[in-house]
Amino acid sequence: RVTAPSKPRVLPNHVGLLWDASASGRRRDHAGELELLDRYFRAMGDGQVELRLLRDRGMDGGSFQVRGGDWSALRKALAAVVYDGATDLTDWTPAQGIGEYLLLSDGLQNYGTRAMPALGPDQRLYALAGTTADATRLAALAESRGGRLVAWQGRVGLDAATHALLADGAHVVALEGEGVD
């Protein structure tokens, strides 16, 4: 088995932010989420973010510019979110041109019957979650869409979460051995 070492990944300049604004979202680690997003947008530098608020009915939250890592307009919009209703994590449609989606949720799905949207071949989904999240569900959603679960526990875990979000991570590039396909 041959593995490639972890290296910084190239971030897209157009991302979708899927923000769980359901009633259960009130209990998430918003301070940790905002800190992780701050690190992500600083690494991005310049770009555009499409915000989708997820409740029992999803809602367009607007389009925001990130300039030199400054995402203050989006941060202000997130601070004003009212958390209410049930959770339908599937009420969104992937858009062309968006390189990746960041899902911030506790993973609770208690409304709706649709399947999670399929992404385009060049799109990924990263699920960002604190300790109270359904990590199994969020990991399955992200990994089946080319991304991964990025979880942390308290402020101390944010450095590891930042690395997990901003690095490609080690991965198998070749397998060698007798009978190995």
Side-chain angles (χ1 to χ4, degrees), residues 52-61 88 91-92 114:
R52 178 79 174 172
L53 301 174
L54 301 175
R55 294 187 183 95
D56 52 337
R57 284 193 207 132
M59 183 176 126
D60 177 17
D88 184 357
D91 193 6
W92 59 282
R114 290 179 294 231

Side-chain angles (χ1 to χ4, degrees), residues 29 32 39 151-162:
D29 176 10
R39 295 172 183 196
W152 67 93
Q153 184 169 0
R155 305 288 294 161
V156 175
L158 282 172
D159 288 339
T162 300

Side-chain angles (χ1 to χ4, degrees), residues 4-9 148 163-164 166-172:
S6 177
K7 64 180 183 188
R9 66 186 185 91
R148 70 174 74 99
H163 179 74
L166 299 179
D168 270 333
H171 56 279
V172 175

